[in-house]
Amino acid sequence: LALALATLALQTLVAHRELGGSFPATLWRMSGYFTVLSLLALIAALAAETLGRRLSPRLTGAIALAMLIVATLYHLVLARIWTFEGIAWWADHAVHSVIPALTLVWWLPRRTDPARFADLPAWLAWPAAYLAMMLARGLVTGFWPYPFLDPTLSGWPGIAANLVGLLAVALALAIALVALRRTLGR
């Protein structure tokens, strides 16, 4: 929890330095990223558990999937187009590599939380909702957080193909998580 909070704080400071302008404008811009919103969900879950709350297996699985999506898309697509130096590099790798890896360390050994294929629709609801929200936000504001969501770069047919591809990757990762969890549970 402390590392996730520190990572979010560092990422926020780096983003504010990079973007300039007001702090509320930085927060608004950051709220467009799946990474940041998923990290906030992880922080909320970890804080709830720290306070003694038992979280539903569907929720913990959805969060684990979201953070795995963060790492996968970053390393397969975004790391090649975004380059950072210094403290920004550390913040970037903490949020896209370290925290997702630690999320799996948190989630995989949860023996009391069954991983079921029946939970996949619930797990995939967040990535699907995010994509819909960001398309609507982009149409209103002109801000596209990721190049694969920007219709000015690939047109609407390209966006449709990207959405299908993104959801297919998310589904494949979800299936892999359930299979891995079941394998480790034996």
Side-chain angles (χ1 to χ4, degrees):
L1 174 59
L3 184 58
L5 283 167
T7 298
L8 179 61
L10 183 60
Q11 188 74 11
T12 303
L13 293 174
V14 166
H16 184 62
R17 186 183 73 191
E18 300 276 328
L19 296 172
S22 70
F23 196 68
T26 298
L27 294 177
W28 171 249
R29 182 91 172 219
M30 288 181 67
S31 72
Y33 290 95
F34 184 79
T35 300
V36 172
L37 297 174
S38 297
L39 181 58
L40 285 169
L42 174 64
I43 288 168
L46 294 171
E49 284 194 339
T50 300
L51 296 173
R53 288 208 49 205
R54 171 129 167 76
L55 302 176
S56 78
R58 279 190 176 163
L59 178 61
T60 59
I63 291 169
L65 174 62
M67 295 310 295
L68 183 58
I69 291 168
V70 164
T72 302
L73 288 181
Y74 177 79
H75 290 288
L76 290 180
V77 178
L78 299 171
R80 291 177 238 191
I81 59 174
W82 291 344
T83 56
F84 299 99
E85 295 178 3
I87 196 75
W89 183 89
W90 288 101
D92 188 58
H93 283 278
V95 79
H96 292 107
S97 302
V98 175
I99 296 298
L102 291 175
T103 300
L104 292 180
V105 169
W106 164 74
W107 182 76
L108 281 172
R110 298 171 78 90
R111 299 258 187 251
T112 59
D113 292 1
R116 302 177 318 212
F117 289 110
D119 291 334
L120 295 187
W123 289 10
L124 294 168
W126 163 233
Y130 169 81
L131 291 171
M133 289 185 317
M134 285 311 107
L135 287 176
R137 180 175 168 170
L139 287 171
V140 171
T141 67
F143 169 62
W144 305 97
Y146 300 104
F148 49 79
L149 292 178
D150 187 346
T152 64
L153 297 177
S154 56
W156 287 106
I159 294 299
N162 290 345
L163 293 176
V164 169
L166 289 167
L167 291 174
V169 167
L171 177 60
L173 291 172
I175 291 168
L177 275 180
V178 171
L180 178 61
R181 184 78 171 285
R182 287 181 167 194
T183 300
L184 292 175
R186 291 184 190 156

